Amino acid sequence: MFASGEVEVAEEFEFAVEVEVAVEVAVGDARQATGPVQAPGPRGPAGRTVVLDGLLAAVLAAGSVAEVLTRPDNVYESTASLPVQVTAVVLAAAPNAVRRVRPFTALLAVVGIMVGCRVLLDTPVVLWSLAVILVAVYSAARHARDPLQWWSVAPPLALIGVYSLVIPGFVNVNDLEVDLTVILAAWGVGLVLRSWARTRHALRESLAEVEAAESARTASALQAERDRIARELHDVVAHCVTVMVVQSGSARLSLHEDPAASEAALRAVEATGREALAEMRRMVGLLSDQEPEALDPQPSLAHAARLVARFAEAGMPVTFRADGAPRPLPPGVDVSAYRILQESLTNAAAHAATAPVAAVVRYRPDAVEVEVTNGRGVPSGRGSGRHGLVGMRERARLFGGTLEAGPTPDGGFRVSARLPAADDGGGR
């Protein structure tokens, strides 16, 4: 068929395959290094492959045209005009532009165009046509969907059969053996590289699974360690509290009869308490998911004015008022009241960024009340919402309090919380 000059064409095809393999290896390594593993998909991203394969098709078309124009001795007898011959070889090479996007379709198109042009227009058969066929066969074997890769050798064999019928003297034993050899070689190379790519992908998936399993084991080990630390924390606290109770009882019993022994017992209570606190801080730090941070003051309504000032500095038109004499509150109530005030201001900033806000803390004889009211405003798109209200209600409920939240008649919003906190005179 194309025996004379086939070595040159085979070398060109071999170079094209080597380039493709090198590109695939480089792209695969880059994907592995920069992101999660993607399924190779026989076709890949259409935009990139069409551009690269379009360039390859242009090279094949240019070589075919050059052969038609400069080497008519390598062309089987043709009665078609020169423009028709040029058009035919260009059309035959064109489908390779989609050889990875539609590999089997491209192969059928190449064979169909070659057969149609030869039978209907008596166009030439050039040496570059072999390169066009080899690229199309290889691409179908390498990239076509299962099981089309196994059928990709059939169209070129059919082409040889048609040419044997319509071109006088086409059948030549030596030429036919060479034709079949190079076509089968291109098909085999495609199948081998297809298997190689799938093996690489399987290995990458296995590696990803191993890494995921290792991460899961690490997380499980960390959780087990935290559980162990939590048990130790419980033991430490239980031990220290027991010692403190015993020493406190001893101090009480010896308070009048032996003041020195009582003082020693109280010092032991103090030392044990400090030891327990130090141990708790250490273990809680180990349990934390975050990096250790500098210790901040405990949240308290005593810092309410400072909290409101921070929101005012951020641009919120907010006022603050404290009704009643501030007094020490139970620690849990104090922290919860502060967090409710903070979350209410955050909600106001999120849902009514430009509206005036009024924050009030009322110290009642039997409770502390926190109220935040904002006018109608424009949402800023940040901050909390439903989950914030749920959290505030849970904080109030935990201490036997109540929380009311809802719209105001002027289109604003109001949050009002009341937490029991009897005044026992400890702050006076």
Side-chain angles (χ1 to χ4, degrees), residues 37-48:
V37 177
Q38 302 283 337
R43 297 176 184 179
R48 184 182 69 243

Side-chain angles (χ1 to χ4, degrees), residues 27 29 35 45 47 62 74 97 99 101 142 152 251 268 277 282 296 307 313 345 351 385:
V27 171
D29 292 342
N74 284 339
R99 69 184 187 90
V101 179
R142 171 69 178 83
S152 58
L277 286 176
R282 182 181 71 83
D296 293 330
L307 172 66
E313 291 172 358
L345 291 172
H351 301 291

Side-chain angles (χ1 to χ4, degrees), residues 104 107-108 111 137 148-161 183-184 187:
F104 198 78
L107 173 61
L108 293 178
V111 172
V137 172
L148 294 179
Q149 75 273 17
W150 302 109
W151 296 97
S152 58
V153 73
L157 297 181
L159 175 65
I160 293 177
I183 289 174
L184 291 175
W187 182 57

Side-chain angles (χ1 to χ4, degrees), residues 250-266:
S250 175
R252 179 179 60 81
L253 294 175
S254 61
L255 180 62
H256 300 292
E257 298 179 359
D258 191 352
S262 178
E263 181 181 358
L266 290 176

Side-chain angles (χ1 to χ4, degrees), residues 1-4 6 10 13 130 133-134 137-138 152-164 170-189:
M1 176 179 177
F2 311 97
S4 57
E6 280 181 329
F13 170 76
L130 177 60
I133 283 290
L134 293 181
V137 172
Y138 160 80
S152 58
V153 73
L157 297 181
L159 175 65
I160 293 177
V162 172
Y163 278 0
S164 299
F170 183 86
V171 177
N172 180 287
V173 175
N174 293 330
D175 288 355
L176 188 59
E177 289 177 352
V178 174
D179 295 341
L180 292 175
T181 299
V182 294
I183 289 174
L184 291 175
W187 182 57
V189 169

Side-chain angles (χ1 to χ4, degrees), residues 44-214:
R48 184 182 69 243
T49 58
V50 168
V51 171
L52 295 177
D53 295 340
L55 294 175
L56 176 60
V59 171
L60 295 173
S64 300
V65 170
E67 186 174 351
V68 168
L69 296 177
T70 62
R71 302 176 65 181
D73 54 305
N74 284 339
V75 180
Y76 283 92
E77 294 182 4
S78 173
T79 59
S81 63
L82 187 60
V84 172
Q85 294 182 28
V86 170
T87 302
V89 295
V90 170
L91 289 177
N96 277 315
V98 292
R99 69 184 187 90
R100 282 183 286 180
V101 179
R102 293 289 185 270
F104 198 78
T105 302
L107 173 61
L108 293 178
V110 168
V111 172
I113 291 172
M114 286 185 174
V115 170
C117 289
R118 181 64 193 187
V119 172
L120 301 177
L121 303 176
D122 195 30
T123 53
V125 178
V126 296
L127 289 176
W128 275 83
S129 297
L130 177 60
V132 172
I133 283 290
L134 293 181
V135 169
V137 172
Y138 160 80
S139 301
R142 171 69 178 83
H143 301 290
R145 291 177 178 173
D146 290 327
L148 294 179
Q149 75 273 17
W150 302 109
W151 296 97
S152 58
V153 73
L157 297 181
L159 175 65
I160 293 177
V162 172
Y163 278 0
S164 299
L165 295 176
V166 300
I167 300 177
F170 183 86
V171 177
N172 180 287
V173 175
N174 293 330
D175 288 355
L176 188 59
E177 289 177 352
V178 174
D179 295 341
L180 292 175
T181 299
V182 294
I183 289 174
L184 291 175
W187 182 57
V189 169
L191 293 177
V192 169
L193 293 182
R194 181 190 190 95
S195 176
W196 173 73
R198 288 189 172 183
T199 301
R200 280 174 58 89
H201 176 63
L203 291 175
R204 288 175 183 168
E205 284 188 328
S206 298
L207 178 60
E209 291 174 357
V210 169
E211 291 175 348
E214 183 63 25

